Amino acid sequence: VELLDLEPVVWRSILVADDMPLVGLAAVIQGAVGWQASHMFAFEIEGKRYDIKLDDDDLDDRESLEMEGVIVRDVLKPGVEAMFQYDFGDDWWHRLDVLDHREISTGDKPPRCLDGERAGPPEDSGGPFGYLDMLDAAADPEQPDHVDIPDWLGDFDPEKFDAKKANREITKILKIYAGMMAGKSA
């Protein structure tokens, strides 16, 4: 999983069971990157869009397929072009590269984040370009927003990646989406 339009790159290597529902994969990606599951999301796989269908069709004006009931192994394979979109306002796009389908060995309990680099951007940070502008302002005392940015970011360190924290977040977000993964409305 690689966030697009960021330099240096923010990426995660995750392990999921191939019988996981697509909405479960969404939860794993969100937790691994550090998103808080507070925004809409969708997948684009081989030119097809999968999202959560809303009761209010006026909010869902894109042609798409229902994500409910779709299993990872049925749509994601090595070589398949796949993207994950999170927060339709900030518009965070993640490229998904399926590296392998293999038997899960003892001790390989999925889902989990195996590795990564750099912290995921804070929620509601303005998308890739807003986030990069925020980091520039935090680093440059001459920038007008320099004084306010540290208060907003708190102890956020863009260089730090913590796999244990990512795995705790995955567990937390999987619980949020548990009803959808079971095929029930949330």
Side-chain angles (χ1 to χ4, degrees):
V1 177
E2 178 184 321
L3 270 86
L4 299 182
D5 299 318
L6 292 181
E7 277 295 326
V9 174
V10 174
W11 64 269
R12 301 292 183 264
S13 177
I14 58 175
L15 176 68
V16 297
D18 68 352
D19 63 348
M20 173 176 262
L22 206 51
V23 72
L25 177 60
V28 173
I29 293 168
Q30 289 175 60
V33 173
W35 304 127
Q36 300 302 304
S38 59
H39 295 282
M40 303 277 299
F41 56 88
F43 286 92
E44 288 194 8
I45 303 170
E46 294 287 287
K48 295 178 184 171
R49 185 172 176 88
Y50 297 84
D51 60 17
I52 306 291
K53 292 298 179 193
L54 303 171
D55 291 335
D56 184 349
D57 288 338
D58 293 338
L59 294 175
D60 191 7
D61 62 351
R62 292 181 126 169
E63 187 175 319
S64 61
L65 302 168
E66 171 63 62
M67 188 182 305
E68 185 176 331
V70 177
I71 303 300
V72 167
R73 76 170 153 254
D74 295 337
V75 293
L76 291 174
K77 296 168 180 30
V80 164
E81 288 187 30
M83 305 280 280
F84 176 72
Q85 182 185 19
Y86 177 74
D87 185 348
F88 300 163
D90 279 2
D91 208 25
W92 291 102
W93 284 93
H94 309 66
R95 188 182 77 232
L96 309 179
D97 290 320
V98 178
L99 302 178
D100 194 11
H101 279 271
R102 63 178 173 81
E103 293 293 318
I104 301 295
S105 59
T106 305
D108 243 2
K109 188 176 178 187
R112 65 187 175 107
C113 183
L114 303 171
D115 200 3
E117 280 189 21
R118 300 181 52 87
E123 200 80 38
D124 299 320
S125 56
F129 306 106
Y131 171 63
L132 294 173
D133 287 347
M134 184 181 353
L135 292 180
D136 288 344
D140 182 358
E142 300 297 316
Q143 294 264 352
D145 295 332
H146 177 77
V147 174
D148 299 325
I149 296 294
D151 289 336
W152 192 79
L153 289 175
D155 64 354
F156 177 77
D157 180 352
E159 298 301 321
K160 186 177 181 182
F161 168 70
D162 182 341
K164 288 181 183 179
K165 180 179 179 185
N167 284 308
R168 286 191 303 271
E169 292 300 313
I170 288 169
T171 300
K172 182 171 83 174
I173 296 174
L174 280 168
K175 288 178 183 174
I176 293 170
Y177 293 150
M180 286 188 278
M181 290 174 37
K184 302 170 190 160
S185 59

